[in-house]
Amino acid sequence: MKKIIRDFLTRYKFVRGDINLNSRTGALHKCWGHVFSNHLFGDYVEFGVYHGDSFLESIEQYNQFKKWLESQKSSVEKWRTDVAIKSPLNQEVYFHGLDTFDGMPKNDEENFNFHEKSFLSSYEKVLARIQKSNYINFYLYKGKFNESKKEIQKNLKDRKISIANIDCDIYSSTVDSFNI
């Protein structure tokens, strides 16, 4: 029954989500809702991808709002159609994900939870999960954030960032994400 309802909502371009949901899904829904409601164009950048759950959830939330924007182009209300057609969100949005994919880097945080090599992940598995979503406008950067700085800055060039998801667990990585 859940699948039938979900398919119905998707088919008729309803944006699903609970703005009161206090979770990763709710937070990303609110972020993309703000971006689309205000027609703020920019890419999504995530520092600390790990297994890719929030990266994929962000793509899902973006896709829901993108379908909504497309549906507004055929609205019977001319002003909605005009706004949707002129929206900067008709351009391609790129998703950028940064992670070592080798676990936590060596650090002097003295926190047992974030010792070197904890939170191991697999670049190949995350890449396969994202490719399975059929979203093609993404970059994955493997390595420490400061090692990926030139590559992501090259890919962003004159582009803006609409959402930066900074999910760093150690101070030095957080500083590197802000420097980027």
Side-chain angles (χ1 to χ4, degrees):
M1 187 62 153
K2 284 183 181 178
K3 184 180 180 340
I4 293 169
I5 293 169
R6 185 177 62 241
D7 290 347
F8 172 83
L9 294 173
T10 300
R11 187 174 332 114
Y12 291 101
K13 298 171 183 73
F14 284 91
V15 176
R16 300 180 316 273
D18 181 351
I19 62 169
N20 297 314
L21 192 60
N22 193 17
S23 65
R24 169 183 30 229
T25 300
L28 290 168
H29 181 81
K30 290 174 199 169
C31 288
W32 283 113
H34 179 76
V35 167
F36 274 83
S37 295
N38 294 286
H39 300 276
L40 306 172
F41 177 74
D43 290 350
Y44 173 86
V45 180
E46 184 169 314
F47 295 91
V49 173
Y50 193 37
H51 292 300
D53 294 342
S54 56
F55 195 84
L56 287 164
E57 184 61 43
S58 189
I59 290 172
E60 173 65 28
Q61 295 299 320
Y62 167 79
N63 284 335
Q64 286 185 38
F65 281 101
K66 186 72 170 178
K67 287 176 187 173
W68 169 81
L69 181 66
E70 289 302 313
S71 74
Q72 296 299 296
K73 293 178 183 177
S74 58
S75 174
V76 295
E77 298 175 83
K78 185 179 177 338
W79 73 269
R80 287 183 187 275
T81 304
D82 292 344
V83 169
I85 289 170
K86 292 176 185 172
S87 175
L89 288 161
N90 289 308
Q91 300 173 66
E92 297 294 331
V93 170
Y94 286 85
F95 285 70
H96 304 263
L98 296 89
D99 203 293
T100 65
F101 297 101
D102 287 328
M104 291 287 169
K106 186 175 181 174
N107 64 78
D108 58 0
E109 301 276 319
E110 297 180 13
N111 185 323
F112 171 77
N113 295 317
F114 306 126
H115 62 85
E116 184 178 9
K117 300 293 180 193
S118 61
F119 295 96
L120 285 170
S121 183
S122 165
Y123 175 87
E124 292 75 19
K125 287 181 182 178
V126 172
L127 179 62
R129 288 183 72 198
I130 297 167
Q131 289 172 331
K132 190 176 175 182
S133 78
N134 293 322
Y135 193 80
I136 58 172
N137 298 326
F138 72 91
Y139 296 97
L140 277 184
Y141 306 86
K142 183 178 176 17
K144 293 178 184 176
F145 300 156
N146 62 355
E147 295 168 355
S148 302
K149 182 176 182 175
K150 287 183 182 176
E151 186 180 0
I152 189 171
Q153 287 177 334
K154 181 187 83 164
N155 289 334
L156 285 170
K157 289 184 189 158
D158 298 324
R159 300 179 68 84
K160 295 180 179 180
I161 297 172
S162 60
I163 300 172
N165 183 353
I166 301 175
D167 188 5
C168 307
D169 297 305
I170 57 176
Y171 177 79
S172 60
S173 296
T174 304
V175 169
D176 287 344
S177 69
F178 286 136
N179 286 330
I180 291 174

